[in-house]
Structures are given as structure tokens and as C-alpha cells.
Amino acid sequence: MTDREDDVDVRKALAEAAPEPFWLQDPARPDAGDPLAGAQAGDLAVVGGGYSGLWTALRAKERDPSLDVVVLEAGRIGDAASGRNGGFCSASLTHGLENGLARWPDDMHTLERLGWDNLRAIADTLARYGIDADWEPTGELSVATEEWQVPALEDAAEKAYEYGWEPILLGPRAVRAEVASPAFLAGLWDRDAAAMLHPAKLAWGLADACRSLGVRVFENTRVTGLRSDGAALRLKAAHGTVTARKVALGTGPYPSPLRRTRRFVVPVYDYVLVTEPLCPEQRRSVGWQHRQGVGDNANQFHYFRLTADDRILWGGYDAVYHYGNGLRPALERRPSTYATLARHFFATFPQLEDVRFSNAWGGAVDTCSRFCPFYGTAYDGRLAYAAGYTGLGVGATRFGADVMLDLLLVGLAPGEETERTRPAMVRTKPVPFPPEPLRYGVINLTRREMARADRNAGHRGLWLRTLDRLGIGFSS
């Protein structure tokens, strides 16, 4: 993707962009719930009120309505990654078929089927609980913006057919008929692989569904301690405690109460722009009648989509790691990245040169070295965790919730396995990130080499080829 070098005034386009997530400005946003106060007890305590935690609480009650379930959220429901992402709900559990095949080829038929079942179950859940999350089962369109990316799309189409998908391979004229951009040279549209949604509304709706089943949800309650307490586990917060027989951790990019998992996850900041609503003429100029989510096929990739009110959300490209696993509100704003994203936007859609951006924001993604989640237990099986979704957690967190509940034997007999817990993806861990300062150096070297590969017709240098052989990667 090259910057547009003409008279588009990027500063003017960004001048009035609110530095807040577009999704969290929605009038449907609920008031904050009460924080934890005093001593509480339950059967299952869930740490984290994002998708991972909320799906875990909801699925636990659906499996066993008698369970007493408590959710503890450090901030507000939907404030973190669950309210800041692009709203792409993918069927993939492995961060794409190619990533899965490179790691677990023997399990991919099962994992692809489980992913499709999971996506369908999400749609069923929204209907069952009346959750209005602007669900649009549009599929996803991968586009080539450089000649070297076209063969990769052709190869991806062949592999997808082998695993039961039926994507449509599009040449230059056909892909531009779908989404009108002179930058697009080819496309691969999988109509069944993803849905678009309003990510914050999904989080708020899941929280409401949990409450309707009797789950206690406490907001503004950061867990500061975890210890064994006889046959139970005790979670400590600023103004109270929760004692539970079992605990599930869904903390995403934030430091887990279980320290052993921290070496596998790094917080990586991703940045997003949203335009003002397109006027009818602008809307016609981009086509996009099927409203697919779109992503380009570069190493430093962009993702983009239409919102329900016909804005364009445009994100990706930069994946920024800050020394020492840096996590703080100031890092959510990055004007230099906003400017880069805006230039790339106008290069992709030159017909929209008069469009202005209404919002510009960032958020942290829980990245691991294999790009997709890992799972495990601690405290003699009384605690389970899932982390490392690497930007594909909108859909995969529901699957991860069921894996955690399987590992905790919720609704299962002692020693019972499920189809979800058999694949090697669930039974293995990613390669851990090295300690600082090596961590910072390795990650930023990898970022530079990815950018270099994009400039060099996709050719991966010695560093990236070495990481490929070791099964290690870096992405948001």
C-alpha cells in the first residue's frame, strides 16, 4: 500500500476526529454497573468482562443453570478490546486457514468445522437473547494490492476448497465491481467465513444476557490477588473478595493474575479510523453493495468495512509494541499512525477525497507468537485460562469459553474429554516471548522486516524465514 502524494489534506481530514472509539459513543451504551464490595462467594468466578469472560459466564449458565457465577471486570463492560475492534466476527479459530495448516495440519478439518459451528452458534445466541449487535453475515473479502499478492490469493482459494469452504476468486474488474478501488488487483470473497457486527453492542448484549440468567457482574473491580483457599480459590479486589470453587481467566492483553501465562502474551496496539457517514453520492462511488469486511494481503495489512450507518472503518497496518509490555491510556492515541492510515485510505479510495474522519483511536491486542489462542489450567484443575487471540477474538472467544469450561469440567464427568479439547492447538502452548530488553528488540526487528518484505515483493528475508521455521510470528 502506497501513500497518496497529491493534494489531499490529511490534517484537515483528521482535524475533528474524536480520540475515542466510535462504538463506545453509541447512545445504547449502558451505565456502569456496581463495583464489588465485601465478601462474595460462588461456584465459578470469571475474571474479565470482555468477550472471553462474558461468553464463559453465559455458556456456564447454559450448561448448568444451577451454577452461581460471578464476573469481575476491571473497567466497564466493552471498554477494552471488546469495544475497540473492527467488528469482524470470523469463523476461523486459528487466525486463518494458512496459519492453522502450518501448525496443526492433522487437526484442520476438525478445527474448521468447529469454527463454522461456533460462528453459527453466535448468530443463534444473538437471536435467542434478542441481542441487537448489527449482525451482518456478509463474509470477508481478501484483496491483493500488489502483483506479488495475487498468487497467494489463488493458493488460498485452492486450500479453502479442500477444507469445505467455497470462496469466489475475483480478477481486477470483478473485485472492483464489488468494492471500487483502483488499488485492488484481485480478490477472494468467502461469503460464509465471517459476519460484521457492532462490537460494543455485542459486549453489552452478552452482559445483559448473563444478568438475565442470574450472573452477578461487577464493574470497576480490578482483581489484585489470587490464592488458594482450601478447596476453593480466592480473588481479591480493592473493596472485596470472591471465593469460588472454580475460576476462569479472560484478561486479554492485561496482566493475568496467573503469572505463568504472562510470558506468552504481549500487548500490541492497533489503531483505527472511522469516517463520517457517506452521503448517497459517496456511497455509490465505492459500490460495496454486499458490504463485506475487507482486508488486504500484505504483511502490514489493513482491514476495513462499512458500519450500519454507512461510515467506513479503516484500521490496521501499524502494530506497535511498547517497551516493558507498556499498557496505559496515553498509548491509545498515536497521531503519526492516524496520519499514515489516512494517507493509505485516500490512496485506496481517491474518489472520497472530501471525506472527513469522525473518530480515531487505538487499543491493545493480546498477541502471542502463534497468532491464535492458547489454553491451560492451574491450581489442580480449579482454574482455566485462554489468551493470545491476536486480533481474532470476536468469534473465537466463544470457542475459547467452551474450552475453558471443558477444562474445568463444567457439565462434564471427571476425566471426560470433548472434541474441543483433543486438538493439539488446545493441548500445546506457543513459543514464549523472551524477557526484556530482548523482547522489545526482537519484536521491533520483526516489524521492520515485515515492512521490508512488503517493499520487496513479499520476499521474506533471513530473519522472517528463521522465525517461520521456528513457528514464531508477530502480528496484531
Side-chain angles (χ1 to χ4, degrees), residues 55 59 62 89-93 110-129 135 137 165 191-195 197 202 394-396 398-399 402 419:
W55 277 119
R59 293 292 296 131
E62 289 179 336
C89 188
S90 174
S92 178
L93 305 175
T110 297
L111 290 171
E112 289 293 284
R113 176 174 50 77
L114 290 173
W116 164 242
D117 290 345
N118 182 66
L119 183 65
R120 185 170 52 190
I122 292 172
D124 291 345
T125 299
L126 300 189
R128 185 163 64 254
Y129 291 99
W135 177 266
W165 302 99
R191 294 168 293 180
D192 302 312
L197 52 75
L202 174 60
V394 179
R398 184 191 178 278
F399 176 84
D402 269 324
E419 192 175 31

Side-chain angles (χ1 to χ4, degrees), residues 433-434 438-453 459-474:
F433 291 98
L438 189 58
R439 176 178 298 188
Y440 182 79
V442 165
I443 288 174
N444 281 286
L445 173 60
T446 304
R447 288 185 66 219
R448 290 194 298 271
E449 288 299 303
M450 289 168 63
R452 181 183 175 189
H459 176 71
R460 297 172 76 80
L462 178 61
W463 177 253
L464 293 182
R465 294 199 307 272
T466 299
L467 295 183
D468 291 342
R469 286 194 294 270
L470 296 174
I472 303 170
F474 172 76

Side-chain angles (χ1 to χ4, degrees), residues 62-365:
E62 289 179 336
R63 289 184 179 207
D64 185 351
S66 70
L67 288 178
D68 186 8
V69 180
V70 181
V71 174
L72 304 176
E73 162 55 34
R76 291 179 62 180
I77 297 296
D79 260 11
S82 297
R84 296 171 181 269
N85 64 82
F88 286 60
C89 188
S90 174
S92 178
L93 305 175
T94 59
H95 213 279
L97 178 59
E98 184 175 358
N99 186 54
L101 285 172
R103 302 177 190 280
W104 310 289
D106 294 341
D107 291 332
M108 284 308 295
H109 281 289
T110 297
L111 290 171
E112 289 293 284
R113 176 174 50 77
L114 290 173
W116 164 242
D117 290 345
N118 182 66
L119 183 65
R120 185 170 52 190
I122 292 172
D124 291 345
T125 299
L126 300 189
R128 185 163 64 254
Y129 291 99
I131 298 173
D132 178 11
D134 297 341
W135 177 266
E136 293 185 88
T138 60
E140 187 169 1
L141 175 65
S142 298
V143 296
T145 57
E146 301 286 347
E147 288 291 348
W148 61 266
Q149 298 170 11
V150 175
L153 289 184
E154 296 169 347
D155 183 58
E158 290 185 15
K159 290 177 180 175
Y161 272 100
E162 291 177 18
Y163 285 86
W165 302 99
E166 297 181 351
I168 303 172
L169 192 62
L170 306 171
R173 182 174 296 181
V175 71
R176 293 170 189 172
E178 288 296 329
V179 183
S181 170
F184 298 166
L185 305 179
L188 184 64
W189 178 20
D190 195 326
R191 294 168 293 180
D192 302 312
M196 301 298 107
L197 52 75
H198 186 306
K201 283 185 177 179
L202 174 60
W204 302 332
L206 289 175
D208 285 343
C210 287
R211 293 185 183 103
S212 74
L213 298 181
V215 175
R216 289 171 284 159
V217 179
F218 296 102
E219 298 182 59
N220 293 308
T221 301
R222 183 178 301 278
V223 173
T224 58
L226 165 68
R227 65 178 179 85
S228 184
D229 186 8
L233 297 173
R234 178 169 293 187
L235 297 164
K236 180 182 177 182
H239 302 291
T241 61
V242 174
T243 303
R245 294 188 299 110
K246 297 181 179 181
V247 170
L249 301 180
T251 53
Y254 295 91
S256 171
L258 187 67
R259 297 186 66 87
R260 73 177 70 166
T261 65
R262 297 183 186 182
R263 62 197 181 109
F264 297 109
V265 176
V266 296
V268 174
Y269 277 84
D270 183 47
Y271 296 92
V272 187
L273 306 178
V274 165
T275 71
E276 298 172 338
L278 303 185
C279 70
E281 181 180 353
Q282 291 167 333
R283 183 67 181 82
R284 286 192 295 271
S285 75
V286 296
W288 219 337
Q289 295 306 306
H290 293 109
R291 302 178 61 83
Q292 309 97 320
V294 186
D296 66 55
N297 221 32
N299 290 295
Q300 288 187 288
F301 62 91
H302 305 78
Y303 55 87
F304 39 110
R305 57 159 296 190
L306 292 166
T307 65
D309 59 349
D310 282 338
R311 303 166 187 262
I312 296 178
L313 178 145
W314 178 267
Y317 189 73
D318 268 348
V320 183
Y321 172 74
H322 297 276
Y323 186 85
N325 283 17
L327 272 170
R328 53 187 184 275
L331 301 179
E332 296 167 5
R333 302 181 183 184
R334 191 175 171 87
S336 62
T337 294
Y338 300 155
T340 297
L341 286 172
R343 288 194 296 270
H344 293 177
F345 175 88
F346 291 119
T348 302
F349 296 114
Q351 68 269 44
L352 299 179
E353 63 181 1
D354 295 327
V355 163
R356 301 293 177 257
F357 298 100
S358 66
N359 295 77
W361 73 91
V365 176

